[in-house]
Amino acid sequence: MSVFHRTVLDQTGDYFAYERRFEPLADDIASQADVIQYEASKRIGSALLAKRVFDVAVASVALALVSPVMLFAAVAIRLDSKGSIFFKQERIGINRRKEERRRAIEAMGSNARMGTDRRRDINAGKPFMIYKFRTMIQDAEKGGPKLACENDPRITRVGRFMRKTRIDEIPQFINVIRGDMSFIGPRPERSFYINQVKREVPEFTMRLMVKPGITGLAQVENGYTKTIGEMKGKLFYDLKYIANLSLTQEIRILFKTVYVVVTGKGAC
């Protein structure tokens, strides 16, 4: 956080010291939230309908093309470590309650101006089961939820390769076809982490205005999230994505996703 000092002439003709504190991340997030509230919220509904057609088409074709890769991954996982081939876990998806979502956004804006606590005005999204190829040892979170980190000892040999190439994400095409997820959108998080982050950043649940995605603006810009702090940082990109929802942006993210997969950028 930086501090800006300036000498200002007031209405009486006297000079006084003016101080303003800048928090770049918080200010950027707040500005994106304002764009969504006052401009983007009106066109999100129609954009989601177009995205659904795009999602089903892309996921169906992708599943057919990568089926040999899925077979190879399943065999590799089985040979590399004990446990199931697939990993499933509850995540939080889109908030489909349009009227409640609208009231929540309006309340967020008014409470921001009043300086009051906004947490109780935010609604959570719909829980769903996400599917992935298992990349960690069985029962990796036996002691409780824990984000993956650099050189995480819980990640298997095959799992490390799959994370780097994003092969572990392929089963999520099933989630897309089922309607739980979109091909592009904010990463689906667990309620455990959503509740942690929204205590400090109430705008965090605005991500639930759209379906979570396999890839997205935040994913291609920042890679895997390793800490709670990084979740806050990625929120800016999630809200920027929602504020600028368009076919052009979807295509741009798709091309950048190809680059990320080829280079292994942001993997852990």
Side-chain angles (χ1 to χ4, degrees):
M1 181 175 69
S2 56
V3 180
F4 174 75
H5 296 277
R6 184 180 180 185
T7 303
V8 180
L9 182 67
D10 66 12
Q11 294 179 346
T12 65
D14 296 325
Y15 285 94
F16 68 95
Y18 171 76
E19 176 181 295
R20 179 181 174 186
R21 296 181 180 274
F22 288 93
E23 298 182 25
L25 178 59
D27 289 345
D28 288 342
I29 288 174
S31 66
Q32 292 299 333
D34 284 343
V35 171
I36 293 171
Q37 180 185 353
Y38 298 110
E39 299 175 25
S41 59
K42 297 177 183 178
R43 54 184 172 80
I44 285 176
S46 57
L48 291 181
L49 290 175
K51 271 176 65 64
R52 180 59 183 155
V53 176
F54 174 82
D55 288 339
V56 173
V58 172
S60 300
V61 172
L63 267 178
L65 292 176
V66 302
S67 54
V69 178
M70 293 182 71
L71 180 60
F72 169 80
V75 173
I77 293 168
R78 179 65 72 191
L79 294 175
D80 183 55
S81 61
K82 295 179 180 179
S84 60
I85 293 171
F86 294 100
F87 168 80
K88 64 178 183 177
Q89 188 179 69
E90 185 180 271
R91 300 291 175 93
I92 303 300
I94 188 172
N95 179 4
R96 295 185 181 278
R97 296 167 293 185
K98 294 180 181 179
E99 186 64 23
E100 290 184 3
R101 188 169 63 221
R102 182 185 63 79
R103 287 199 301 266
I105 296 171
E106 290 175 352
M108 183 178 290
S110 62
N111 285 342
R113 291 187 293 272
M114 293 168 60
T116 58
D117 185 355
R118 293 167 282 175
R119 281 174 287 173
R120 62 179 178 273
D121 295 315
I122 301 171
N123 295 283
K126 180 182 178 182
F128 71 94
M129 282 293 175
I130 192 172
Y131 299 101
K132 301 178 70 174
F133 281 122
R134 181 175 58 83
T135 59
M136 292 187 175
I137 58 174
Q138 193 76 0
D139 299 322
E141 292 191 328
K142 209 170 184 178
K146 182 182 178 183
L147 294 169
C149 59
E150 204 73 37
N151 300 315
D152 197 318
R154 299 173 300 163
I155 301 175
T156 64
R157 291 173 299 174
V158 169
R160 200 166 297 282
F161 172 76
M162 288 197 298
R163 279 173 169 259
K164 187 173 183 180
T165 56
R166 293 340 194 251
I167 290 175
D168 62 315
E169 311 279 4
I170 291 176
Q172 290 169 49
F173 291 139
I174 298 170
N175 286 116
V176 173
I177 293 173
R178 288 179 52 175
D180 300 323
M181 295 176 62
S182 179
F183 195 79
I184 297 171
R187 278 301 296 164
E189 297 293 350
R190 285 181 273 179
S191 58
F192 176 85
Y193 293 115
I194 291 176
N195 290 332
Q196 277 193 318
V197 178
K198 78 176 185 180
R199 291 189 188 104
E200 298 180 40
V201 189
E203 293 90 348
F204 193 71
T205 49
M206 289 186 77
R207 305 163 75 253
L208 305 179
M209 292 182 69
V210 298
K211 289 181 182 179
I214 298 175
T215 185
L217 186 61
Q219 293 91 294
V220 297
E221 294 294 343
N222 285 77
Y224 278 105
T225 299
K226 307 178 191 70
T227 65
I228 294 294
E230 287 181 1
M231 280 189 183
K232 299 174 189 175
K234 289 175 74 172
L235 175 60
F236 167 74
Y237 291 104
D238 287 334
L239 297 186
K240 183 179 180 181
Y241 166 76
I242 296 171
N244 299 285
L245 207 59
S246 67
L247 181 60
T248 303
Q249 182 178 224
E250 302 280 300
I251 294 172
R252 190 182 301 123
I253 294 172
L254 270 180
F255 278 112
K256 196 151 190 179
T257 298
V258 174
Y259 169 77
V260 168
V261 170
V262 171
T263 61
K265 176 188 173 185
C268 70

